[in-house]
């Protein structure tokens, strides 16, 4: 095979796919199903050695043409199985991007969608089979980018000698790579939409509040925004506990000498102990997730809801939404479906319901709800539903425009008992029904015509928004409160969770503090 001559930023056909010149060097993609796909392109230097726990640094340039055929290795991460970790390659080449494009022609200037994956800030990567972006790129005739960012202790632990929120800084670096390079792949750097789910949506909320991300995207879609943001004091205390599990101090000098797998293991061990820290870590403790964005006053200056209400990113168009039964996924994964008793429900209500009379208010508002339903409902509301809708309201207050949705169609797996749970939007959006969580949510049930139609509607709405700023339903406002309900029969109606909204009215979202 002979390499095709390339010039900076141009895309020409050659070999098995187009060759594109980037700021790091030339890359060759592979033609697949009518698209050209580029995988594993470095957007930053490997964060190892002296660069470990540092802000991302520019990738080292290469000579010749790099075959961009394989996804880069995932960063070190938790696989949710104690003692088991997925670490990247020994050279730490974790910070890579992947591009799906209909045509690597700089003149095409198609809209660009950049996916930010979720995973509780401790797992996930852009090459995951569930994030195969071919259907979005093909159906929407646009360019889609996915990428890796540091997770877990590498990306989010608060340690001395390192910037906070390194995972968010990686995201900024990836978006800067898109700005500087995407034209050569047929994309328009002036029409970039970020979209993400769960921790990816929390990351987008943070990016909307970060000066470093100004101008890097024009539109944003935040699916199931978690409300967990740590105060700097809480993050430092958890960071010290994480390091202690590895027998170390929470410093770069100590932690940079340790194999990443050992730190993943420390995070797993601490997560199992977190419920015992309730008196010190409050609402963060039962989440068994020791990582979240940190409101450190520098990388993330203020809480996103406050930043948006003050007008940050008012020029960014926004879509936000959540699933009706978010928390049921975690109940199911913990083997607790149908087992939640009154004591557990009461404990959850006391921990998460707003205000001193929150438990009584929830019971009065949902008088027919059993223990299991109350347990799920209050945690769905606290963790996802309220933060998501409040993000829309904050954006409106700051002069922005937002559209809102709720997914109410139940997952067919487990006999439909999972409901419209957390992450159901992923297989629907990507059309990856048999990959990752899609295999659980659709277990034993082939996607029928309703599922396929809803999946197509997700992609049509998301890509229309990326193209025009209009997902196909009215913008949200605080008078009519119209949202798109995504179900077997989609409809635009006033927000269905009005009871929840009223229960939380006047209760401010705040950083999770350190107690005692």
């Amino acid at each position: 095979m002979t390499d095709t001559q390339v010039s900076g930023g141009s895309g020409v056909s050659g070999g098995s796919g187009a060759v594109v010149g980037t700021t790091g060097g030339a890359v060759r993609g592979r033609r697949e199903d009518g698209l050209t796909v580029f995988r594993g392109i470095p957007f930053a230097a490997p964060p190892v050695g002296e660069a470990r726990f540092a802000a991302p640094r520019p990738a080292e340039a290469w000579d010749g043409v790099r075959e961009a055929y394989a996804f880069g290795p995932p960063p070190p991460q938790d696989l949710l199985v104690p003692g088991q970790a997925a670490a990247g390659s020994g050279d730490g080449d974790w910070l890579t991007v992947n591009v799906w494009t209909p045509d690597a022609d700089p003149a095409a200037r198609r809209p660009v969608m950049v996916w930010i994956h979720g995973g509780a800030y401790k797992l996930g990567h852009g090459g995951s089979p569930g994030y195969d972006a071919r259907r979005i790129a093909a159906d929407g005739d646009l360019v889609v980018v996915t990428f890796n960012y540091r997770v877990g202790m590498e990306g989010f632990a608060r340690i001395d000698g390192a910037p906070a929120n390194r995972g968010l800084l990686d995201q900024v670096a990836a978006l800067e790579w898109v700005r500087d390079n995407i034209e050569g792949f047929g994309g328009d750097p002036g029409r970039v939409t970020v979209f993400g789910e769960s921790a990816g949506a929390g990351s987008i909320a943070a990016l909307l509040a970060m000066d470093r991300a100004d101008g890097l995207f024009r539109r944003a879609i935040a699916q199931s925004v978690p409300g967990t943001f740590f105060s700097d004091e809480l993050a430092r205390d958890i960071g010290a506990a994480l390091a202690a599990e590895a027998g170390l101090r929470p410093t770069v000098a100590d932690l940079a000498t340790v194999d990443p797998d050992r730190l993943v293991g420390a995070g797993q061990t601490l997560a199992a102990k977190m419920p015992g820290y309730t008196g010190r870590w409050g609402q963060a403790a039962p989440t068994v997730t020791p990582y979240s964005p940190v409101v450190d006053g520098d990388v993330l200056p203020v809480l996103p809801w406050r930043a948006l209400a003050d007008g940050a990113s008012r020029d960014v168009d926004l879509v936000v939404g959540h699933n009706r039964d978010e928390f049921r996924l975690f109940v199911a994964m913990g083997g607790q479906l149908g087992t939640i008793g009154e004591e557990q429900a009461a404990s959850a209500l006391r921990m998460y319901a707003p205000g001193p009379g929150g438990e009584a208010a929830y019971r009065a508002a949902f008088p027919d709800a059993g223990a299991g339903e109350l347990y799920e409902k209050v945690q769905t509301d606290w963790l996802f539903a309220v933060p998501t809708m409040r993000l829309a309201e904050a954006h409106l207050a700051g002069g922005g425009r937002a559209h809102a949705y709720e997914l109410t169609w139940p997952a067919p797996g487990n006999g439909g008992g999972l409901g419209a749970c957390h992450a159901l939007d992923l297989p629907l959006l990507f059309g990856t029904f048999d990959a990752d969580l899609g295999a659980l949510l659709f277990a034993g049930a082939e996607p029928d015509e309703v599922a396929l139609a809803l999946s197509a509607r997700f992609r049509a709405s998301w890509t229309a928004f990326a193209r025009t700023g209009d997902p196909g339903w009215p913008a949200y406002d605080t008078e009519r409160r119209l949202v798109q309900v995504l179900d077997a029969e989609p409809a635009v109606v006033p927000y269905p969770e009005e009871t929840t909204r009223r229960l939380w009215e006047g209760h401010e979202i705040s950083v999770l503090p350190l107690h005692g």
Side-chain angles (χ1 to χ4, degrees):
M1 181 187 301
T2 58
D3 292 333
T4 302
Q5 185 72 32
V6 295
S7 59
S10 66
V12 292
S13 181
S16 59
V19 173
V20 174
T22 76
T23 50
V27 292
R28 187 193 307 282
R30 176 175 284 160
R31 197 71 180 165
E32 301 174 9
D33 301 322
L35 302 168
T36 301
V37 184
F38 300 80
R39 297 180 173 93
I41 306 171
F43 68 83
V48 297
E50 292 184 357
R52 193 168 176 197
F53 301 112
R57 302 177 182 181
E60 184 175 345
W62 58 88
D63 296 325
V65 177
R66 181 185 181 118
E67 292 186 342
Y69 297 164
F71 291 117
Q77 59 188 262
D78 192 336
L79 289 185
L80 303 182
V81 178
Q84 183 178 4
S89 65
D91 60 11
D93 196 11
W94 308 317
L95 302 182
T96 58
V97 300
N98 317 295
V99 183
W100 286 256
T101 179
D103 183 11
D105 176 5
R109 299 188 71 83
R110 288 177 167 85
V112 181
M113 297 188 72
V114 180
W115 174 250
I116 303 179
H117 70 76
Y121 306 104
K122 62 182 179 181
L123 71 155
H125 59 99
S128 177
Y131 305 144
D132 186 331
R134 72 182 73 181
R135 295 169 187 83
I136 298 175
D139 291 2
D141 190 34
L142 42 67
V143 180
V144 183
V145 177
T146 69
F147 64 90
N148 296 347
Y149 59 94
R150 282 173 286 179
V151 294
M153 287 189 74
E154 305 292 326
F156 287 95
R158 190 72 169 106
I159 56 178
D160 292 339
N165 302 305
R166 296 172 298 282
L168 297 179
L169 293 175
D170 291 346
Q171 295 171 16
V172 171
L175 289 168
E176 290 173 339
W177 184 93
V178 169
R179 177 196 62 198
D180 297 341
N181 293 283
I182 205 64
E183 185 175 351
F185 296 85
D188 183 349
R191 286 197 293 168
V192 173
T193 298
V194 291
F195 66 129
E197 181 265 354
S198 195
S203 296
I204 288 170
L207 292 169
L208 288 165
M210 290 168 56
D211 293 340
R212 290 170 171 82
D214 280 353
L216 294 178
F217 52 92
R218 180 174 172 182
R219 300 185 176 105
I221 304 172
Q223 306 166 213
S224 303
V225 181
T228 49
F229 282 70
F230 291 168
S231 70
D232 199 48
E233 296 76 16
L234 175 63
R236 288 184 182 277
D237 204 60
I238 294 176
L242 285 163
E245 291 294 342
L248 301 166
R249 298 171 300 170
T251 66
V252 169
D254 273 23
L255 297 175
T257 65
V258 177
D259 185 274
D261 281 0
R262 184 176 165 194
L263 298 187
V264 171
Q268 292 173 324
T269 302
L270 180 64
K273 298 177 180 179
M274 283 183 70
Y277 284 80
T278 299
R280 189 167 180 82
W281 297 344
Q283 292 174 323
T287 68
V288 299
T289 300
Y291 313 105
S292 273
V294 182
V295 180
D296 67 313
D298 177 18
V299 175
L300 182 55
V302 297
L303 196 67
W305 293 265
R306 181 177 301 174
L308 265 62
D310 289 342
S313 297
R314 65 165 58 94
D315 295 330
V316 175
D317 297 326
L318 182 63
V319 166
V320 297
H322 66 87
N323 305 345
R324 183 187 58 203
D325 310 305
E326 296 270 9
F327 203 75
R328 193 170 302 171
L329 175 68
F330 307 107
V331 176
M333 292 178 71
Q336 294 178 299
L337 278 180
T339 72
I340 300 297
E342 180 57 37
E343 184 176 344
Q344 291 165 290
S347 177
L349 288 166
R350 287 193 296 269
M351 174 65 72
Y352 295 115
E359 179 182 0
Y362 256 81
R363 292 184 184 279
F366 304 102
D368 298 325
E373 186 177 351
L374 287 169
Y375 179 85
E376 291 178 14
K377 179 64 175 166
V378 71
Q379 294 188 82
T380 287
D381 294 344
W382 172 79
L383 187 55
F384 294 113
V386 173
T388 296
M389 298 306 294
R390 287 285 184 84
L391 199 70
E393 294 177 2
H395 198 47
L396 296 182
R401 176 183 175 89
H403 299 259
Y405 73 89
E406 183 180 22
L407 174 61
T408 57
W409 183 78
N414 195 43
L418 294 171
C421 67
H422 189 64
L424 176 58
D425 44 322
L426 295 179
L428 289 171
L429 174 59
F430 286 89
T432 49
F433 301 105
D434 58 354
D436 299 342
L437 279 174
L440 168 67
L441 301 176
F442 285 81
E446 287 293 320
D448 59 15
E449 291 184 6
V450 172
L452 294 174
L454 189 55
S455 179
R457 187 180 186 93
F458 257 99
R459 288 191 293 280
S461 296
W462 269 226
T463 57
F465 177 72
R467 189 174 298 281
T468 68
D470 181 0
W473 67 85
Y476 186 78
D477 62 56
T478 54
E479 294 181 3
R480 298 180 300 167
R481 301 188 186 279
L482 296 179
V483 305
Q484 173 70 68
V485 171
L486 293 165
D487 210 319
E489 296 292 338
V492 176
V493 301
Y495 182 50
E497 314 304 332
E498 177 67 9
T499 300
T500 289
R501 191 193 69 78
R502 287 187 177 274
L503 280 171
W504 288 80
E505 199 167 29
H507 181 77
E508 183 179 354
I509 295 176
S510 58
V511 294
L512 298 182
L514 177 66
H515 298 272

